[in-house]
PDB file of all heavy atoms in Angstrom:
ATOM      1  N   ARG A  14      62.381  79.018  72.954  1.00  0.00           N
ATOM      2  CA  ARG A  14      62.204  78.934  74.431  1.00  0.00           C
ATOM      3  C   ARG A  14      63.168  79.738  75.096  1.00  0.00           C
ATOM      4  O   ARG A  14      64.246  80.072  74.582  1.00  0.00           O
ATOM      5  CB  ARG A  14      62.558  77.443  74.882  1.00  0.00           C
ATOM      6  CG  ARG A  14      61.556  76.497  74.387  1.00  0.00           C
ATOM      7  CD  ARG A  14      61.923  75.067  74.855  1.00  0.00           C
ATOM      8  NE  ARG A  14      63.290  74.817  74.337  1.00  0.00           N
ATOM      9  CZ  ARG A  14      63.950  73.694  74.716  1.00  0.00           C
ATOM     10  NH1 ARG A  14      63.440  72.775  75.512  1.00  0.00           N
ATOM     11  NH2 ARG A  14      65.142  73.454  74.191  1.00  0.00           N
ATOM     12  N   ASP A  25      76.142  86.148  81.585  1.00  0.00           N
ATOM     13  CA  ASP A  25      76.400  87.589  81.737  1.00  0.00           C
ATOM     14  C   ASP A  25      77.693  87.800  82.610  1.00  0.00           C
ATOM     15  O   ASP A  25      78.526  88.725  82.253  1.00  0.00           O
ATOM     16  CB  ASP A  25      75.274  88.221  82.570  1.00  0.00           C
ATOM     17  CG  ASP A  25      73.960  88.269  81.787  1.00  0.00           C
ATOM     18  OD1 ASP A  25      74.003  88.070  80.527  1.00  0.00           O
ATOM     19  OD2 ASP A  25      72.891  88.444  82.374  1.00  0.00           O
ATOM     20  N   ALA A  26      77.979  86.997  83.594  1.00  0.00           N
ATOM     21  CA  ALA A  26      79.160  87.115  84.365  1.00  0.00           C
ATOM     22  C   ALA A  26      80.439  86.762  83.687  1.00  0.00           C
ATOM     23  O   ALA A  26      81.599  87.228  84.086  1.00  0.00           O
ATOM     24  CB  ALA A  26      79.064  86.276  85.683  1.00  0.00           C
ATOM     25  N   THR A  27      80.333  86.016  82.565  1.00  0.00           N
ATOM     26  CA  THR A  27      81.542  85.572  81.891  1.00  0.00           C
ATOM     27  C   THR A  27      81.640  86.222  80.490  1.00  0.00           C
ATOM     28  O   THR A  27      82.516  85.857  79.732  1.00  0.00           O
ATOM     29  CB  THR A  27      81.573  84.011  81.795  1.00  0.00           C
ATOM     30  OG1 THR A  27      80.486  83.607  81.032  1.00  0.00           O
ATOM     31  CG2 THR A  27      81.656  83.368  83.127  1.00  0.00           C
ATOM     32  N   ALA A  30      85.061  87.649  79.633  1.00  0.00           N
ATOM     33  CA  ALA A  30      86.144  86.730  79.513  1.00  0.00           C
ATOM     34  C   ALA A  30      85.914  85.893  78.262  1.00  0.00           C
ATOM     35  O   ALA A  30      86.869  85.539  77.570  1.00  0.00           O
ATOM     36  CB  ALA A  30      86.109  85.831  80.729  1.00  0.00           C
ATOM     37  N   ASP A  35      87.732  84.520  72.822  1.00  0.00           N
ATOM     38  CA  ASP A  35      87.377  84.395  71.467  1.00  0.00           C
ATOM     39  C   ASP A  35      88.372  85.145  70.558  1.00  0.00           C
ATOM     40  O   ASP A  35      88.897  84.697  69.617  1.00  0.00           O
ATOM     41  CB  ASP A  35      85.973  84.865  71.120  1.00  0.00           C
ATOM     42  CG  ASP A  35      84.918  83.884  71.508  1.00  0.00           C
ATOM     43  OD1 ASP A  35      85.290  82.674  71.875  1.00  0.00           O
ATOM     44  OD2 ASP A  35      83.714  84.231  71.444  1.00  0.00           O
ATOM     45  N   MET A  38      91.829  83.459  70.658  1.00  0.00           N
ATOM     46  CA  MET A  38      91.895  82.203  69.882  1.00  0.00           C
ATOM     47  C   MET A  38      91.748  82.459  68.416  1.00  0.00           C
ATOM     48  O   MET A  38      92.217  81.701  67.586  1.00  0.00           O
ATOM     49  CB  MET A  38      90.807  81.244  70.369  1.00  0.00           C
ATOM     50  CG  MET A  38      91.020  80.754  71.801  1.00  0.00           C
ATOM     51  SD  MET A  38      92.622  79.860  72.074  1.00  0.00           S
ATOM     52  CE  MET A  38      91.990  78.279  72.431  1.00  0.00           C
ATOM     53  N   ALA A  59      94.737  73.719  78.543  1.00  0.00           N
ATOM     54  CA  ALA A  59      93.716  74.061  79.532  1.00  0.00           C
ATOM     55  C   ALA A  59      92.743  72.908  79.740  1.00  0.00           C
ATOM     56  O   ALA A  59      92.331  72.602  80.838  1.00  0.00           O
ATOM     57  CB  ALA A  59      92.973  75.317  79.160  1.00  0.00           C
ATOM     58  N   LEU A  67      87.728  68.154  87.054  1.00  0.00           N
ATOM     59  CA  LEU A  67      86.293  67.689  87.047  1.00  0.00           C
ATOM     60  C   LEU A  67      86.198  66.304  87.584  1.00  0.00           C
ATOM     61  O   LEU A  67      85.279  65.986  88.406  1.00  0.00           O
ATOM     62  CB  LEU A  67      85.742  67.815  85.651  1.00  0.00           C
ATOM     63  CG  LEU A  67      85.337  69.183  85.174  1.00  0.00           C
ATOM     64  CD1 LEU A  67      85.088  69.215  83.722  1.00  0.00           C
ATOM     65  CD2 LEU A  67      84.082  69.763  85.960  1.00  0.00           C
ATOM     66  N   GLY A  71      84.377  64.676  91.163  1.00  0.00           N
ATOM     67  CA  GLY A  71      83.267  63.788  91.065  1.00  0.00           C
ATOM     68  C   GLY A  71      82.233  64.205  90.024  1.00  0.00           C
ATOM     69  O   GLY A  71      80.989  63.999  90.260  1.00  0.00           O
ATOM     70  N   ARG A  94      98.200  62.832  65.635  1.00  0.00           N
ATOM     71  CA  ARG A  94      98.131  62.814  64.186  1.00  0.00           C
ATOM     72  C   ARG A  94      98.927  63.878  63.594  1.00  0.00           C
ATOM     73  O   ARG A  94      99.345  63.785  62.404  1.00  0.00           O
ATOM     74  CB  ARG A  94      96.666  62.950  63.683  1.00  0.00           C
ATOM     75  CG  ARG A  94      95.814  61.684  63.898  1.00  0.00           C
ATOM     76  CD  ARG A  94      94.437  61.915  63.317  1.00  0.00           C
ATOM     77  NE  ARG A  94      93.561  60.840  63.731  1.00  0.00           N
ATOM     78  CZ  ARG A  94      92.706  60.922  64.774  1.00  0.00           C
ATOM     79  NH1 ARG A  94      92.608  62.008  65.488  1.00  0.00           N
ATOM     80  NH2 ARG A  94      92.023  59.853  65.129  1.00  0.00           N
ATOM     81  N   ARG A  97     102.525  65.886  67.479  1.00  0.00           N
ATOM     82  CA  ARG A  97     102.707  66.557  68.773  1.00  0.00           C
ATOM     83  C   ARG A  97     101.952  65.785  69.840  1.00  0.00           C
ATOM     84  O   ARG A  97     101.211  64.926  69.586  1.00  0.00           O
ATOM     85  CB  ARG A  97     102.096  68.000  68.756  1.00  0.00           C
ATOM     86  CG  ARG A  97     102.684  68.931  67.756  1.00  0.00           C
ATOM     87  CD  ARG A  97     104.145  69.300  68.210  1.00  0.00           C
ATOM     88  NE  ARG A  97     104.682  70.352  67.412  1.00  0.00           N
ATOM     89  CZ  ARG A  97     105.449  70.182  66.268  1.00  0.00           C
ATOM     90  NH1 ARG A  97     105.587  69.004  65.842  1.00  0.00           N
ATOM     91  NH2 ARG A  97     105.906  71.190  65.668  1.00  0.00           N
ATOM     92  N   SER A 104      97.836  75.237  85.497  1.00  0.00           N
ATOM     93  CA  SER A 104      97.264  74.524  86.621  1.00  0.00           C
ATOM     94  C   SER A 104      95.924  75.172  86.949  1.00  0.00           C
ATOM     95  O   SER A 104      95.711  76.370  86.729  1.00  0.00           O
ATOM     96  CB  SER A 104      98.215  74.633  87.841  1.00  0.00           C
ATOM     97  OG  SER A 104      98.374  75.940  88.252  1.00  0.00           O
ATOM     98  N   TYR A 118      79.910  74.492  82.240  1.00  0.00           N
ATOM     99  CA  TYR A 118      79.256  75.488  81.384  1.00  0.00           C
ATOM    100  C   TYR A 118      80.212  75.930  80.318  1.00  0.00           C
ATOM    101  O   TYR A 118      79.850  76.119  79.112  1.00  0.00           O
ATOM    102  CB  TYR A 118      78.813  76.674  82.264  1.00  0.00           C
ATOM    103  CG  TYR A 118      78.349  77.894  81.468  1.00  0.00           C
ATOM    104  CD1 TYR A 118      77.117  77.945  80.908  1.00  0.00           C
ATOM    105  CD2 TYR A 118      79.149  78.934  81.278  1.00  0.00           C
ATOM    106  CE1 TYR A 118      76.689  79.036  80.144  1.00  0.00           C
ATOM    107  CE2 TYR A 118      78.789  80.044  80.557  1.00  0.00           C
ATOM    108  CZ  TYR A 118      77.520  80.035  79.984  1.00  0.00           C
ATOM    109  OH  TYR A 118      77.114  81.125  79.271  1.00  0.00           O
ATOM    110  N   GLU A 121      81.140  72.688  77.924  1.00  0.00           N
ATOM    111  CA  GLU A 121      80.049  72.257  77.105  1.00  0.00           C
ATOM    112  C   GLU A 121      79.652  73.326  76.089  1.00  0.00           C
ATOM    113  O   GLU A 121      79.333  73.084  74.888  1.00  0.00           O
ATOM    114  CB  GLU A 121      78.844  71.857  77.930  1.00  0.00           C
ATOM    115  CG  GLU A 121      79.106  70.516  78.724  1.00  0.00           C
ATOM    116  CD  GLU A 121      79.411  69.366  77.782  1.00  0.00           C
ATOM    117  OE1 GLU A 121      78.675  69.145  76.787  1.00  0.00           O
ATOM    118  OE2 GLU A 121      80.425  68.686  78.042  1.00  0.00           O
ATOM    119  N   SER A 123      81.668  75.404  74.725  1.00  0.00           N
ATOM    120  CA  SER A 123      82.687  75.474  73.626  1.00  0.00           C
ATOM    121  C   SER A 123      82.338  74.613  72.470  1.00  0.00           C
ATOM    122  O   SER A 123      82.766  74.814  71.327  1.00  0.00           O
ATOM    123  CB  SER A 123      84.097  75.070  74.136  1.00  0.00           C
ATOM    124  OG  SER A 123      84.129  73.687  74.412  1.00  0.00           O
ATOM    125  N   LYS A 128      81.547  74.052  66.166  1.00  0.00           N
ATOM    126  CA  LYS A 128      80.877  73.967  64.835  1.00  0.00           C
ATOM    127  C   LYS A 128      81.330  74.993  63.850  1.00  0.00           C
ATOM    128  O   LYS A 128      81.588  74.646  62.686  1.00  0.00           O
ATOM    129  CB  LYS A 128      79.412  74.040  65.050  1.00  0.00           C
ATOM    130  CG  LYS A 128      78.730  72.963  65.856  1.00  0.00           C
ATOM    131  CD  LYS A 128      77.289  73.269  66.103  1.00  0.00           C
ATOM    132  CE  LYS A 128      76.624  72.259  67.083  1.00  0.00           C
ATOM    133  NZ  LYS A 128      75.232  72.518  67.326  1.00  0.00           N
ATOM    134  N   LEU A 131      85.049  74.245  62.701  1.00  0.00           N
ATOM    135  CA  LEU A 131      85.020  73.116  61.752  1.00  0.00           C
ATOM    136  C   LEU A 131      84.790  73.724  60.355  1.00  0.00           C
ATOM    137  O   LEU A 131      85.484  73.330  59.411  1.00  0.00           O
ATOM    138  CB  LEU A 131      84.066  72.017  62.113  1.00  0.00           C
ATOM    139  CG  LEU A 131      84.442  71.051  63.143  1.00  0.00           C
ATOM    140  CD1 LEU A 131      83.267  70.246  63.561  1.00  0.00           C
ATOM    141  CD2 LEU A 131      85.647  70.221  62.752  1.00  0.00           C
ATOM    142  N   THR A 146      90.366  66.213  63.449  1.00  0.00           N
ATOM    143  CA  THR A 146      89.206  67.015  63.950  1.00  0.00           C
ATOM    144  C   THR A 146      88.426  66.261  64.959  1.00  0.00           C
ATOM    145  O   THR A 146      87.259  66.642  65.240  1.00  0.00           O
ATOM    146  CB  THR A 146      88.322  67.415  62.810  1.00  0.00           C
ATOM    147  OG1 THR A 146      87.840  66.271  62.078  1.00  0.00           O
ATOM    148  CG2 THR A 146      89.080  68.310  61.832  1.00  0.00           C
ATOM    149  N   LEU A 157      74.628  67.096  73.483  1.00  0.00           N
ATOM    150  CA  LEU A 157      75.253  67.282  74.798  1.00  0.00           C
ATOM    151  C   LEU A 157      75.045  68.666  75.402  1.00  0.00           C
ATOM    152  O   LEU A 157      74.889  68.817  76.593  1.00  0.00           O
ATOM    153  CB  LEU A 157      76.749  67.023  74.721  1.00  0.00           C
ATOM    154  CG  LEU A 157      77.113  65.582  74.321  1.00  0.00           C
ATOM    155  CD1 LEU A 157      78.553  65.348  74.024  1.00  0.00           C
ATOM    156  CD2 LEU A 157      76.625  64.595  75.382  1.00  0.00           C
ATOM    157  N   TRP A 158      74.948  69.748  74.536  1.00  0.00           N
ATOM    158  CA  TRP A 158      74.691  71.066  75.091  1.00  0.00           C
ATOM    159  C   TRP A 158      73.287  71.137  75.648  1.00  0.00           C
ATOM    160  O   TRP A 158      73.051  71.621  76.733  1.00  0.00           O
ATOM    161  CB  TRP A 158      74.922  72.112  73.977  1.00  0.00           C
ATOM    162  CG  TRP A 158      74.544  73.518  74.420  1.00  0.00           C
ATOM    163  CD1 TRP A 158      73.644  74.267  73.819  1.00  0.00           C
ATOM    164  CD2 TRP A 158      75.125  74.338  75.429  1.00  0.00           C
ATOM    165  NE1 TRP A 158      73.569  75.514  74.427  1.00  0.00           N
ATOM    166  CE2 TRP A 158      74.454  75.580  75.430  1.00  0.00           C
ATOM    167  CE3 TRP A 158      76.145  74.125  76.349  1.00  0.00           C
ATOM    168  CZ2 TRP A 158      74.832  76.577  76.292  1.00  0.00           C
ATOM    169  CZ3 TRP A 158      76.505  75.173  77.256  1.00  0.00           C
ATOM    170  CH2 TRP A 158      75.852  76.366  77.227  1.00  0.00           C
ATOM    171  N   PHE A 161      73.051  69.352  78.846  1.00  0.00           N
ATOM    172  CA  PHE A 161      73.655  70.090  79.935  1.00  0.00           C
ATOM    173  C   PHE A 161      72.698  71.229  80.355  1.00  0.00           C
ATOM    174  O   PHE A 161      72.613  71.453  81.560  1.00  0.00           O
ATOM    175  CB  PHE A 161      74.981  70.741  79.399  1.00  0.00           C
ATOM    176  CG  PHE A 161      75.599  71.736  80.420  1.00  0.00           C
ATOM    177  CD1 PHE A 161      76.187  71.336  81.580  1.00  0.00           C
ATOM    178  CD2 PHE A 161      75.417  73.083  80.136  1.00  0.00           C
ATOM    179  CE1 PHE A 161      76.620  72.280  82.506  1.00  0.00           C
ATOM    180  CE2 PHE A 161      75.911  73.998  81.090  1.00  0.00           C
ATOM    181  CZ  PHE A 161      76.461  73.622  82.233  1.00  0.00           C
ATOM    182  N   LEU A 162      72.107  71.878  79.450  1.00  0.00           N
ATOM    183  CA  LEU A 162      71.148  72.913  79.832  1.00  0.00           C
ATOM    184  C   LEU A 162      70.040  72.360  80.602  1.00  0.00           C
ATOM    185  O   LEU A 162      69.551  73.047  81.564  1.00  0.00           O
ATOM    186  CB  LEU A 162      70.599  73.648  78.497  1.00  0.00           C
ATOM    187  CG  LEU A 162      71.629  74.434  77.748  1.00  0.00           C
ATOM    188  CD1 LEU A 162      70.854  75.067  76.524  1.00  0.00           C
ATOM    189  CD2 LEU A 162      72.172  75.583  78.576  1.00  0.00           C
ATOM    190  N   ARG A 164      70.138  69.906  82.715  1.00  0.00           N
ATOM    191  CA  ARG A 164      70.725  69.703  84.009  1.00  0.00           C
ATOM    192  C   ARG A 164      70.848  71.043  84.727  1.00  0.00           C
ATOM    193  O   ARG A 164      70.607  71.197  85.916  1.00  0.00           O
ATOM    194  CB  ARG A 164      72.135  68.938  83.865  1.00  0.00           C
ATOM    195  CG  ARG A 164      72.921  68.880  85.118  1.00  0.00           C
ATOM    196  CD  ARG A 164      72.257  67.904  86.111  1.00  0.00           C
ATOM    197  NE  ARG A 164      73.109  67.771  87.296  1.00  0.00           N
ATOM    198  CZ  ARG A 164      73.097  68.497  88.373  1.00  0.00           C
ATOM    199  NH1 ARG A 164      72.312  69.630  88.442  1.00  0.00           N
ATOM    200  NH2 ARG A 164      73.885  68.267  89.345  1.00  0.00           N
ATOM    201  N   ARG A 170      70.864  73.072  94.160  1.00  0.00           N
ATOM    202  CA  ARG A 170      71.804  73.269  95.233  1.00  0.00           C
ATOM    203  C   ARG A 170      73.052  73.976  94.871  1.00  0.00           C
ATOM    204  O   ARG A 170      73.954  74.025  95.659  1.00  0.00           O
ATOM    205  CB  ARG A 170      72.164  71.955  95.820  1.00  0.00           C
ATOM    206  CG  ARG A 170      71.011  71.105  96.406  1.00  0.00           C
ATOM    207  CD  ARG A 170      71.398  69.749  96.743  1.00  0.00           C
ATOM    208  NE  ARG A 170      71.984  69.056  95.513  1.00  0.00           N
ATOM    209  CZ  ARG A 170      72.650  68.016  95.604  1.00  0.00           C
ATOM    210  NH1 ARG A 170      72.806  67.417  96.693  1.00  0.00           N
ATOM    211  NH2 ARG A 170      73.154  67.442  94.493  1.00  0.00           N
ATOM    212  N   GLU A 178      82.602  81.869  89.633  1.00  0.00           N
ATOM    213  CA  GLU A 178      84.040  81.860  89.773  1.00  0.00           C
ATOM    214  C   GLU A 178      84.775  80.786  89.062  1.00  0.00           C
ATOM    215  O   GLU A 178      85.759  80.989  88.420  1.00  0.00           O
ATOM    216  CB  GLU A 178      84.388  81.851  91.269  1.00  0.00           C
ATOM    217  CG  GLU A 178      85.896  81.982  91.525  1.00  0.00           C
ATOM    218  CD  GLU A 178      86.459  83.282  90.982  1.00  0.00           C
ATOM    219  OE1 GLU A 178      85.809  84.372  90.873  1.00  0.00           O
ATOM    220  OE2 GLU A 178      87.662  83.185  90.473  1.00  0.00           O
ATOM    221  N   ALA A 186      91.995  79.921  82.398  1.00  0.00           N
ATOM    222  CA  ALA A 186      92.850  78.793  82.094  1.00  0.00           C
ATOM    223  C   ALA A 186      93.163  78.673  80.571  1.00  0.00           C
ATOM    224  O   ALA A 186      94.302  78.524  80.139  1.00  0.00           O
ATOM    225  CB  ALA A 186      92.307  77.436  82.631  1.00  0.00           C
ATOM    226  N   ASP A 192      98.342  81.843  75.673  1.00  0.00           N
ATOM    227  CA  ASP A 192      99.527  82.670  75.778  1.00  0.00           C
ATOM    228  C   ASP A 192     100.775  81.812  75.631  1.00  0.00           C
ATOM    229  O   ASP A 192     101.829  82.329  75.219  1.00  0.00           O
ATOM    230  CB  ASP A 192      99.591  83.420  77.129  1.00  0.00           C
ATOM    231  CG  ASP A 192      98.618  84.595  77.108  1.00  0.00           C
ATOM    232  OD1 ASP A 192      98.193  85.121  76.030  1.00  0.00           O
ATOM    233  OD2 ASP A 192      98.299  85.102  78.290  1.00  0.00           O
TER     234      ASP A 192
END
Side-chain angles (χ1 to χ4, degrees):
R14 294 181 302 174
D25 293 346
T27 61
D35 282 352
M38 295 298 243
L67 284 166
R94 285 183 194 97
R97 297 289 190 269
S104 60
Y118 170 79
E121 290 302 310
S123 71
K128 293 176 187 178
L131 282 168
T146 60
L157 294 172
W158 175 243
F161 170 75
L162 290 180
R164 171 69 176 87
R170 300 172 301 170
E178 183 56 36
D192 283 341

